[in-house]
Amino acid sequence: SLTAPDNFYSATGLDPLTEYDFYIKSICTSGDTSANDGPYTFETGCGSFAPIPYTEDFISYVPECWEEATGRLTTSSTLNFGSSDWTNDGFANNGTTGAARMEIWTASKDEWLISPSFNLGSGSSSLIVEFDVALTVWNTTVGDTLQADDTLALVISTDNGQTWSTSNILNAWVDGNEPSASGDHVVYSLAGYTGGVRLGFYAASSVTGEDVNVYIDNFVVRDTNAVSSI
């Protein structure tokens, strides 16, 4: 309850991207109350998601609470947020929507697609991130290889997106370790990570050459001990 001259109330424990109703009473004391005024509705912002699970199928792009950025992945990266060359396409070039796609082929490409924040709490050995990944020749469904300068990497930021480092790569797809043209479902453990984290897909090339597309779809962060799945 509020007492004059208070004019705000800070609610805690709310879920991100969720609508809530609230009511107002001008008098709220024992034996002396007024009628409810409302409901009034508001929606919370992005905040941090708990893995219960969190799912993203990239039907809309850029998805809510995701961000794009550019910047070379190093031991201490500097990212410029706002846009990137990641875009929407059909997974493995089947159709035209429903997946995130990045074209890797020209010089000076350092493109990021970054997830919302996830609150992993005190950590758990049963927490995972999983998704589908594919690689095709540009504008076809045919498989191909990555060149020596090409990279697709999954990177975790252990300080809620403040810093990004090569020391926190969960997996890198490079020459000799390419996703298939039809798509691979991959799973990575988040055991040992605590607190607020974000996950980034980093696609890079430094020399103009082979023209390929990489795709991400059906992204899930969840606790495998929970009664839920994709």
Side-chain angles (χ1 to χ4, degrees), residues 23-37:
Y23 296 83
I24 297 175
K25 283 186 176 184
S26 60
I27 302 173
C28 188
T29 59
S30 178
D32 189 6
T33 62
S34 60
N36 288 329
D37 186 18

Side-chain angles (χ1 to χ4, degrees), residues 31-224:
D32 189 6
T33 62
S34 60
N36 288 329
D37 186 18
Y40 299 96
T41 302
F42 69 96
E43 183 175 350
T44 53
C46 290
S48 288
F49 292 86
I52 54 175
Y54 169 90
T55 64
E56 177 54 59
D57 55 14
F58 299 100
I59 294 300
S60 61
Y61 193 84
V62 177
E64 280 191 293
C65 302
W66 288 68
E67 290 188 278
E68 292 180 292
T70 58
R72 174 67 59 172
L73 176 61
T74 66
T75 56
S76 182
S77 308
T78 299
L79 302 192
N80 300 304
F81 285 84
S83 64
S84 78
D85 284 349
W86 282 92
T87 189
N88 194 232
D89 202 350
F91 185 74
N93 211 36
N94 291 293
T96 57
T97 62
R101 184 262 289 169
M102 170 65 197
E103 182 182 3
I104 300 178
W105 75 292
T106 58
S108 304
K109 291 298 179 185
D110 298 286
E111 315 297 311
W112 291 81
L113 179 61
I114 298 173
S115 79
S117 168
F118 297 104
N119 183 359
L120 304 187
S122 58
S124 168
S125 60
S126 57
L127 293 173
I128 62 168
V129 55
E130 57 184 323
F131 52 89
D132 297 328
V133 57
L135 181 149
T136 70
V137 174
W138 176 80
N139 208 30
T140 79
T141 58
V142 177
D144 204 350
T145 59
L146 293 168
Q147 301 300 291
D149 64 298
D150 299 337
T151 300
L152 172 65
L154 173 65
V155 189
I156 187 168
S157 170
T158 59
D159 55 7
N160 212 24
Q162 296 302 305
T163 61
W164 299 88
S165 172
T166 50
S167 62
N168 288 323
I169 293 175
L170 294 180
N171 192 52
W173 293 266
V174 294
D175 183 18
N177 178 38
E178 290 90 353
S180 70
S182 59
D184 304 326
H185 184 74
V186 294
V187 181
Y188 301 100
S189 173
L190 297 177
Y193 295 103
T194 61
V197 304
R198 297 184 75 179
L199 295 154
F201 292 100
Y202 170 71
S205 61
S206 57
V207 177
T208 300
E210 198 82 13
D211 194 351
V212 300
N213 286 342
V214 291
Y215 312 82
I216 301 296
D217 200 4
N218 300 319
F219 177 92
V220 179
V221 175
R222 65 186 179 97
D223 188 332
T224 56

